[in-house]
Amino acid sequence: MRRSVLGLAVLLAGTLSLGACDNAATFDFTIVSGSENEILEPVVMAFCAAQKVACHMSYLGSLDIGLGLRPGQEATVDAVWPASSIWIEMFDSGRKVTHLQSISQNPVVLGVRKSKAQSLGWTAGPVTTAEILKAVDGGTLRFLMTSATQSNSGASAYLAMLAAAHGKAVLEAGDLDDAATLDQVARLLHGVERSSGSSGWLAQLYRDGTRKGAVYDAMWNYEAVIKETNDALRRDGHEPLWAVYPAEGVAVADSPLGFVARGRGQEVEDFFIALQAYLLSPEAQAQIAATGRRIALGRAAQAPPEPDWNFDPGRLATAVRMPEPAVIRKALTLYQEALRRPSLTALCLDFSGSMAGEGESALRQAVSFLFSPERAAEVLVQWSPKDRIFVLPFDNEVEAVWRGTGSGDDQARLLGQVLTMSAGGGTDMYGCVRQATALMVPFLARDDFLPAIVIMTDGRSDGDPAGFLQARAADNGRIPIFGITFGDADRSQLETLAGATGARVFDGTKDLTGAFRSARGYN
Amino acid sequence: MSITRRGLGIGLMGASAAATAGYVYLRDTPWLQAPAALGGFIGGEKKAFLANPRTVAALAHAGFAVDGRQAGSVEMVRAPELLSQNPDFLWPSSSVMVEIARQSKLPLRRAQVILNSPIVVYSWSNVVAGLATAGLVARSPAGYATIDLLAFLKAVLADASWASIGVEALFGKARIAATDPNLSNSGFMFAGLVANLLSGDVATPDSLDKVGGAVETLFRRMGYKSHSSGSQFEDYLAGGPGAYPMSVGYESQLLEWIIADPARWSRVGRSASRPVILYPVPTVYSAHPLLTLKPAADGLVDALMSVPLQTIAWAEHGFRGPLGAPGAGAHPEVAAMVPEHLDAIAPMPEAAVMLALLERLAA
């Protein structure tokens, strides 16, 4: 019955579009989605164009999509398409989202460089979490994984690790107090070589790394994203990632598409219903299956197996059952405050003359957010006492070096110190990066930390990035240099540094606090 | 076949007589008058039935235009914000709700079970094959599958692995998923069934003291629980045996899914793992009693009990009649897979026991 109602809606939408005699769009329709769905944008857009609706797809991490659904938040989109319905369950307590339906099923797997997988003996049969832990403990395996608190693929991998470590089908709140479980998961997370707030960006990092010879061992990501990566790797003549499905079970993301009612009338809701019906039609499902996504029974055939990297969407993968939302919340806080690999972060803050006035005040606000534990905790980017932080205000030279841990006292002190600064002088960000690097190198020897330098600047810096990168000692190459732009900042200098070090640049011109927050998701 | 002139004449005469008789009959029947508009709350699983154009026409023929708004069964008999909307009728999904409605002092006029659907466990052919080797699932001579639910629940409570109960294809511990009993009726009914099975009889306040902890453990081990029986069933189909090896639902759900697209069902029939309905022995019926609150709605009971509407309910939506018997005219695939009679039906525990159980299971 539901099918025929949807069929009717498609027909209706079709009739509406036939009625429109010019090419002008009848209305706008905005969708916010997880980055892994970027590959499906053409499928969505083709339908929108046929219906003469101007669709806009934007991409956010699962946490951000969830935060936008909290009670009291004004709805700014017409549809949400996060990686997993758990993020809607956790945040949409007012039940704003309706017509929620899974579009595809996506196990989160560990893709291991094939030669690495072979040397570990993992291409011969099932691999257990205990074996993964052994490889991490022995220093033979490092992986890329998105931040569990910012992105669904990281959260999924992390929750599956917890469940496997505890040997239970489903995590319960009490399990998160078990010291042995926590120890095992912290050791597994020690394998994180790079993190990020986006699954799509992480895959890009892997591909770029391979191209540049900075070869990573492995990456936790959606089975379909591993396929997308392998397709690209093959085109470039590189070895693929071997898909490891931890035998204890994999977390499966259900990619739900839901409607957000915000009083735009029946026409908009009818369009959504038609769009969803289209995406679930055999024709669209076949296109979606071709990207390596698993398709529900009877909708379309799965993508053909690719045995050279252990891919077979028709094969049964035991799924880890998602815990109750309250348990997930507790687990995520635990990740951020205790279990993740600690951050080693240097903040290079531009206090040059051009920052006077508005820039200075925006920077103070952003730093206040960053060093206010309760505010940072709301969006799960709080520091932990294990973190090591350097703050370096600079103009044409570094004005001060303040250091601390992520403890509450240290954060308060660092904030107080930043608030004493006032803008003046020229701009040389390279000097700051050089000094930050020198401060960080001794810590890197211990291999305990996930390092990052974050430069916030509003202008054109003296010096040039190419010369700077050349002079940079080879052993410092593993510290990524992130950029946050403000005002009329010269983005190209920051882009060059970020591109060369596997980092990215965040736009702080509209929302400096938001940009700092995003950057934290990568460290 | 040719029609003779004489035959045609007789035919015309006959048609005219029928038309006259028809008019005489029809001028006293409601469908020449405007149908009476009735509003009320219904469980979500009956939405498709009420929206079916043939249902709408048959109800109009009986003189009714029914606007059924979706609400949870428990909330519709208790929530002041729903009752203050002055509904003409309520159509929840469990007969326990009649008792709770009486306790809520609702002005009940008629309360009649219209439809029935047994609570079942949805599984997959490859999982079921394993459970059969362990003796947990049996095939009836008629071809449908029954599950020894008590034995399965005990295995879950004992932390048994799938392998130890015959299912080699799945890793890890045996589990089953139901909806949140405080929000959705199928989870509510399953909680009652579980309490009965663990008590060894219909659960009472005394037996609940003994088995309540185990029921809590079972529901806690389900992890995340869906808020609606409809989404749970869709998640089951979408997730497949890896994600939803065992999922609680109504018998009508798969039947409706098959009838909605028989070609899809044929395609599915060829796949390595197919949906299988497991009938717990005993099980409980999710009855669908219509509760009328206004005189205008009283006649709706008789209309819904009429043969045409009962036939649509079964043949197109998989709902059994008030006594639990399947109707006529089902899709042949459906007719072959469901038992004609369910012999072992347990009553639900009484309302007070269920309310106490809900409290224990509240997250």
Side-chain angles (χ1 to χ4, degrees):
Chain A
M1 186 59 217
R2 157 174 268 141
R3 245 189 142 68
S4 59
V5 169
L6 295 180
L8 192 70
V10 175
L11 209 74
L12 214 70
T15 318
L16 282 177
S17 75
L18 284 174
C21 50
D22 58 354
N23 282 327
T26 42
F27 53 84
D28 290 283
F29 190 88
T30 53
I31 304 167
V32 61
S33 165
S35 59
E36 69 287 343
N37 284 333
E38 218 166 330
I39 194 173
L40 299 179
E41 188 171 321
V43 183
V44 173
M45 289 304 170
F47 180 80
C48 297
Q51 306 298 311
K52 299 216 182 340
V53 171
C55 290
H56 309 277
M57 275 183 85
S58 60
Y59 300 95
L60 280 180
S62 294
L63 178 78
D64 281 301
I65 296 176
L67 289 172
L69 296 170
R70 281 178 301 178
Q73 293 282 310
E74 198 196 333
T76 54
V77 296
D78 301 303
V80 287
W81 195 359
S84 163
S85 46
I86 59 169
W87 303 93
I88 296 175
E89 284 301 328
M90 276 198 294
F91 293 102
D92 181 27
S93 49
R95 306 259 153 241
K96 273 187 227 172
V97 179
T98 55
H99 302 299
L100 201 65
Q101 286 234 58
S102 165
I103 302 298
S104 66
Q105 299 278 317
N106 300 291
V108 174
V109 305
L110 180 62
V112 183
R113 195 157 39 79
K114 193 169 175 182
S115 54
K116 184 74 167 187
Q118 278 161 339
S119 72
L120 287 163
W122 289 357
T123 52
V127 179
T128 62
T129 301
E131 290 171 88
I132 298 173
L133 179 60
K134 198 174 149 214
V136 171
D137 276 348
T140 50
L141 182 76
R142 289 278 180 275
F143 45 76
L144 313 182
M145 175 177 142
T146 64
S147 160
T149 58
Q150 306 297 311
S151 157
N152 182 69
S153 67
S156 301
Y158 165 64
L159 290 170
M161 284 175 192
L162 277 171
H166 202 62
K168 281 176 64 171
V170 177
L171 272 185
E172 298 169 33
D175 304 338
L176 297 173
D177 302 324
D178 178 51
T181 303
L182 302 189
D183 169 67
Q184 221 186 97
V185 173
R187 276 155 57 210
L188 271 165
L189 290 174
H190 193 257
V192 174
E193 181 165 19
R194 289 294 308 277
S195 190
S196 88
S198 149
S199 313
W201 188 85
L202 199 74
Q204 190 64 45
L205 177 69
Y206 185 89
R207 290 208 292 270
D208 288 350
T210 308
R211 233 171 262 143
K212 289 174 189 148
V215 181
Y216 299 109
D217 293 340
M219 157 168 81
W220 287 97
N221 220 318
Y222 302 106
E223 182 182 50
V225 174
I226 302 282
K227 172 171 163 54
E228 204 181 329
T229 307
N230 280 343
D231 290 346
L233 290 171
R234 267 199 221 103
R235 280 195 299 274
D236 296 347
H238 296 296
E239 59 174 328
L241 290 160
W242 179 265
V244 170
Y245 301 78
E248 294 84 352
V250 292
V252 179
D254 58 351
S255 191
L257 176 65
F259 179 66
V260 184
R262 48 178 183 143
R264 291 191 61 204
Q266 196 56 44
E267 186 188 27
V268 175
E269 185 167 355
D270 288 344
F271 169 73
F272 171 84
I273 291 170
L275 168 67
Q276 190 179 55
Y278 173 72
L279 290 174
L280 292 172
S281 69
E283 179 199 349
Q285 288 277 295
Q287 284 176 278
I288 293 169
T291 66
R293 283 159 173 75
R294 295 185 180 216
I295 294 303
L297 194 73
R299 283 193 176 134
Q302 310 287 2
E306 296 176 21
D308 67 319
W309 62 277
N310 198 27
F311 171 69
D312 181 2
R315 188 175 51 208
L316 182 71
T318 301
V320 173
R321 182 120 183 105
M322 276 297 133
E324 288 285 6
V327 179
I328 297 181
R329 246 176 249 127
K330 184 175 172 187
L332 294 184
T333 301
L334 194 65
Y335 170 90
Q336 190 63 22
E337 294 180 355
L339 300 183
R340 71 182 157 87
R341 198 165 166 191
S343 310
L344 172 65
T345 311
L347 299 169
C348 281
L349 306 178
D350 184 349
F351 273 94
S352 62
S354 55
M355 284 290 286
E358 200 190 322
E360 225 175 346
S361 108
L363 181 55
R364 287 208 181 94
Q365 278 175 26
V367 175
S368 299
F369 157 80
L370 211 54
F371 291 138
S372 299
E374 60 292 343
R375 286 182 62 204
E378 271 176 41
V379 289
L380 293 165
V381 292
Q382 66 270 40
W383 303 93
S384 91
K386 290 181 193 160
D387 295 328
R388 294 291 176 273
I389 309 165
F390 300 100
V391 182
L392 298 89
F394 71 93
D395 42 44
N396 49 336
E397 58 183 11
V398 174
E399 291 293 321
V401 174
W402 297 311
R403 58 188 86 202
T405 68
S407 71
D409 288 349
D410 280 13
Q411 289 187 58
R413 178 175 49 75
L414 289 170
L415 175 60
Q417 285 167 321
V418 172
L419 294 180
T420 63
M421 286 299 298
S422 55
T427 310
D428 177 15
M429 64 182 185
Y430 301 104
C432 186
V433 175
R434 264 190 294 272
Q435 197 157 341
T437 307
L439 290 164
M440 292 165 87
V441 165
F443 288 89
L444 294 181
R446 281 170 30 209
D447 195 31
D448 288 340
F449 296 96
L450 207 55
I453 294 173
V454 181
I455 312 172
M456 195 295 304
T457 180
D458 80 327
R460 196 168 294 273
S461 175
D462 298 338
D464 81 290
F468 168 81
L469 287 169
Q470 229 160 31
R472 208 171 180 230
D475 60 343
N476 300 332
R478 55 174 286 219
I479 306 177
I481 305 173
F482 291 87
I484 295 176
T485 58
F486 190 75
D488 60 347
D490 176 12
R491 205 179 159 98
S492 69
Q493 286 181 317
L494 290 174
E495 291 281 9
T496 308
L497 292 185
T501 59
R504 74 187 289 187
V505 180
F506 300 93
D507 183 359
T509 48
K510 289 197 193 82
D511 175 12
L512 190 60
T513 303
F516 268 102
R517 201 215 109 184
S518 301
R520 282 287 297 135
Y522 285 69
N523 173 226
Chain B
M1 191 180 82
S2 65
I3 297 172
T4 62
R5 195 177 288 265
R6 185 165 169 267
L8 185 66
I10 289 171
L12 284 174
M13 244 166 64
S16 139
T20 312
Y23 173 72
V24 170
Y25 167 72
L26 287 171
R27 73 182 166 194
D28 297 326
T29 63
W31 78 303
L32 287 186
Q33 299 144 22
L38 295 177
F41 294 106
I42 62 165
E45 64 292 318
K46 294 184 288 289
K47 248 170 67 178
F49 168 61
L50 277 182
N52 185 335
R54 280 174 291 282
T55 306
V56 174
L59 282 171
H61 185 270
F64 297 103
V66 176
D67 172 26
R69 278 156 284 163
Q70 185 177 343
S73 292
V74 185
E75 64 175 348
M76 76 172 78
V77 292
R78 289 205 296 182
E81 61 273 25
L82 295 183
L83 294 167
S84 66
Q85 293 176 32
N86 222 8
D88 299 315
F89 66 87
L90 303 171
W91 201 4
S93 320
S94 160
S95 48
V96 182
M97 302 310 162
V98 181
E99 216 176 318
I100 298 178
R102 288 211 171 94
Q103 286 174 8
S104 307
K105 301 269 186 297
L106 297 189
L108 293 196
R109 297 176 54 83
R110 296 185 72 176
Q112 160 75 47
V113 172
I114 308 287
L115 304 170
N116 260 311
S117 196
I119 290 290
V120 299
V121 176
Y122 284 108
S123 186
W124 300 89
S125 51
N126 49 350
V127 177
V128 169
L131 292 173
T133 62
L136 289 170
V137 163
R139 285 272 167 199
S140 79
Y144 62 89
T146 58
I147 177 169
D148 182 348
L149 186 58
L150 179 60
F152 181 78
L153 296 175
K154 284 185 171 162
V156 175
L157 284 168
D159 252 342
S161 68
W162 282 114
S164 74
I165 53 170
V167 186
E168 303 286 345
L170 290 169
F171 197 91
K173 305 286 166 65
R175 60 196 165 87
I176 184 166
T179 58
D180 186 331
N182 272 286
L183 298 171
S184 154
N185 185 65
S186 64
F188 173 86
M189 305 283 307
F190 187 67
L193 174 59
V194 168
N196 282 350
L197 286 171
L198 294 175
S199 299
D201 198 348
V202 178
T204 62
D206 282 348
S207 71
L208 193 58
D209 284 344
K210 295 188 198 85
V211 305
V215 184
E216 265 180 66
T217 303
L218 279 167
F219 274 81
R220 212 177 46 239
R221 289 194 178 164
M222 292 178 190
Y224 165 70
K225 286 175 276 300
S226 175
H227 297 182
S228 123
S229 314
S231 8
Q232 165 97 2
F233 183 69
E234 282 177 8
D235 290 347
Y236 154 78
L237 289 175
Y244 283 86
M246 307 282 273
S247 173
V248 176
Y250 303 114
E251 178 199 51
S252 61
Q253 290 176 298
L254 183 64
L255 307 188
E256 193 177 39
W257 195 77
I258 294 170
I259 298 160
D261 189 348
R264 172 181 60 192
W265 181 247
S266 313
R267 285 200 300 279
V268 164
R270 290 192 293 271
S271 60
S273 56
R274 298 172 302 282
V276 176
I277 302 181
L278 297 177
Y279 291 89
V281 183
T283 188
V284 286
Y285 262 128
S286 164
H288 299 267
L290 186 76
L291 280 53
T292 67
L293 303 176
K294 302 280 174 58
D298 288 351
L300 187 57
V301 171
D302 307 308
L304 287 168
M305 295 290 281
S306 69
V307 172
L309 279 155
Q310 289 282 320
T311 304
I312 296 170
W314 170 253
E316 296 182 41
H317 301 280
F319 287 110
R320 293 167 181 256
L323 300 176
H331 188 274
E333 298 265 14
V334 166
M337 71 193 291
V338 302
E340 184 76 23
H341 302 287
L342 288 166
D343 297 325
I345 296 289
M348 280 287 281
E350 62 180 52
V353 174
M354 285 310 297
L355 291 175
L357 186 55
L358 282 189
E359 204 136 304
R360 293 191 78 136
L361 299 177

